[in-house]
């Protein structure tokens, strides 16, 4: 078994982790200049899996995913499916239910474009979401490219802005899958009925609406620990993580497993008293779920494996994506509570 500090060092330098860190170098955002006047207006800023905007007592959700050109060119059907699936996971991670999908794609060959479209149509059908339109470009001069956007609705949010110290961190993973060849994509949707896929993804809004969880984030291409950083960074929180508590197939080594981009995988925070109920809900749907750690106010993400201990990240020394709102949240908490008419719309300003 790889020594823990060596494992953590290798994970920090994977291409997916590097690409997330590139966001901070190329996007101008500073939480000290964030002009949000309420928590509701902060939900529209980047950091969560989706932007959320209050409307008539609920939230409208928006998200977008772009696929790598090489992925679109070499695996058009799977790229189409994955773009929809990733968007639906983003909506679910915010505590929402997906409503509709739109797309824009460019391709050089009509037969591959048809496979791309078929992947999107099949995924929308499987998850019970409408594919309502988009923009198509075909021609030999184009590079194969796909962008898919989604709209959703939520009654209550599972925002990363809700992370606070002493919350338990849970992971929910569908282990009944396999890796897509030569990738870190963990597929657990093949040969699964539409009914099961829809009932599994519906667990996240159910947790939100029942007030069982505080925050959530889907496990994306940054892998398990990279996605954990995005769960914590918005509030500059730290965490203590027990690596051995993470569910894992026996025949997969830790370096590969911690890099997974699963078709069903989420990180959540919750109170200790709610963890047993959350785990049971996922288990009923055939999803592995376990408590893997606890949040704290240190800004340091520490990892333990058996008798080994290492530091994966220290937000006091290094940003990850750069989307941190700790100062803005402190200012909001210091403001006196003001009663506003229910129909008064919040100001939503996004610096990006």
């Amino acid at each position: 078994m790889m020594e823990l500090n060596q494992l953590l060092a290798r994970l920090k330098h994977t291409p997916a982790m590097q690409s997330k860190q590139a966001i901070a170098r190329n996007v101008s955002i500073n939480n000290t200049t964030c002009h949000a006047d309420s928590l509701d207006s902060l939900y529209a800023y980047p950091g969560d899996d989706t932007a959320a905007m209050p409307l008539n007592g609920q939230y409208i959700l928006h998200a977008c995913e772009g696929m790598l050109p090489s992925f679109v060119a070499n695996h058009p059907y799977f790229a189409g499916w994955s773009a929809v699936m990733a968007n639906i996971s983003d909506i679910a991670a915010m505590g929402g239910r997906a409503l509709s999908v739109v797309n824009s794609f460019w391709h050089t060959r009509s037969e591959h474009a048809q496979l791309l479209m078929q992947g999107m149509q099949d995924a929308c059908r499987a998850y019970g979401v409408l594919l309502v339109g988009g923009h198509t470009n075909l021609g030999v001069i184009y590079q194969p490219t796909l962008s898919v956007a989604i709209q959703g609705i939520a009654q209550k949010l599972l925002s990363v802005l809700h992370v606070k110290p002493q919350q338990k961190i849970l992971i929910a993973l569908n282990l009944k899958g396999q890796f897509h060849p030569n990738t870190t994509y963990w597929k657990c949707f093949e040969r699964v009925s539409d009914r099961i896929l829809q009932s599994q993804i519906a667990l996240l809004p159910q947790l939100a609406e029942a007030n069982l969880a505080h925050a959530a984030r889907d496990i994306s291409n940054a892998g398990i620990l990279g996605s954990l950083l995005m769960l914590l960074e918005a509030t500059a929180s730290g965490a203590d993580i027990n690596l051995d508590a993470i569910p894992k197939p026996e025949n997969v080594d830790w370096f590969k497993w911690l890099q997974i981009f699963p078709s069903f995988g989420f990180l959540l925070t919750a109170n200790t008293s709610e963890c047993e109920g959350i785990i049971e809900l996922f288990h009923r749907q055939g999803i592995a779920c376990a408590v893997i750690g606890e949040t704290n106010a240190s800004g340091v993400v520490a990892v333990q494996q058996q008798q080994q201990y290492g530091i994966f990240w220290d937000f006091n020394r290094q940003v990850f994506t750069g989307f941190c709102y700790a100062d803005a949240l402190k200012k909001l908490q210091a403001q006196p509570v003001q009663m506003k008419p229910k129909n008064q719309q919040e100001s939503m300003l996004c610096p990006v």
Side-chain angles (χ1 to χ4, degrees), residues 13-176:
H13 292 91
T14 59
M17 286 285 291
Q18 294 293 311
S19 70
K20 294 298 183 184
Q21 293 173 70
I23 297 173
R25 295 192 294 270
N26 293 286
V27 176
S28 176
I29 182 169
N30 187 328
N31 80 85
T32 60
T33 60
C34 179
H35 300 299
D37 57 5
S38 70
L39 187 58
D40 267 354
S41 58
L42 264 185
Y43 293 138
Y45 280 67
D48 268 303
D49 285 304
T50 78
M53 288 158 286
L55 180 66
N56 299 330
Q58 55 192 1
Y59 294 91
I60 302 298
L61 308 180
H62 296 277
C64 183
E65 293 284 347
M67 297 289 106
L68 291 171
S70 59
F71 189 31
V72 177
N74 298 325
H75 308 278
Y77 179 86
F78 187 40
W81 177 289
S82 298
V84 171
M85 179 184 65
N87 268 311
I88 289 172
S89 291
D90 285 345
I91 293 291
M94 198 63 164
R97 304 172 190 273
L99 294 176
S100 59
V101 165
V102 294
N103 67 86
S104 295
F105 70 86
W106 290 256
H107 221 299
T108 57
R109 299 166 58 186
S110 61
E111 60 269 30
H112 278 196
Q114 290 170 3
L115 287 171
L116 195 70
M117 197 69 196
Q118 191 65 54
M120 288 186 279
Q121 290 172 336
D122 288 352
C124 283
R125 185 211 68 245
Y127 288 99
V129 181
L130 292 174
L131 183 61
V132 296
H135 187 72
T136 304
N137 303 271
L138 285 176
V140 294
I141 62 172
Y142 295 128
Q143 181 182 35
T145 310
L146 172 65
S147 177
V148 174
I150 193 167
Q151 298 76 43
I153 196 165
Q155 304 302 318
K156 295 184 179 180
L157 300 179
L158 296 176
S159 173
V160 295
L161 298 172
H162 300 166
V163 174
K164 293 181 180 179
Q166 281 74 60
Q167 293 175 355
K168 295 298 183 183
I169 301 171
L170 300 95
I171 191 168
L173 280 170
N174 189 340
L175 300 182
K176 300 171 185 175

Side-chain angles (χ1 to χ4, degrees), residues 1-9 305 308-310:
M1 184 176 67
M2 190 183 302
E3 193 265 340
L4 178 61
N5 283 314
Q6 181 185 0
L7 171 64
L8 297 179
Q305 186 180 41
Q308 299 180 76
Y309 176 90

Side-chain angles (χ1 to χ4, degrees), residues 1-17 179 183-184 221-226 243 246 248-261 305 312:
M1 184 176 67
M2 190 183 302
E3 193 265 340
L4 178 61
N5 283 314
Q6 181 185 0
L7 171 64
L8 297 179
R10 288 185 65 189
L11 286 169
K12 287 176 69 173
H13 292 91
T14 59
M17 286 285 291
F179 283 107
T183 72
T184 57
N221 65 324
I224 293 174
L225 293 182
L243 207 64
I246 297 174
K248 179 181 77 68
E250 290 185 4
N251 62 340
V252 181
D253 65 71
W254 278 111
F255 181 63
K256 185 168 187 177
W257 189 245
L258 290 173
Q259 293 182 72
I260 56 166
F261 189 166
Q305 186 180 41
F312 182 63

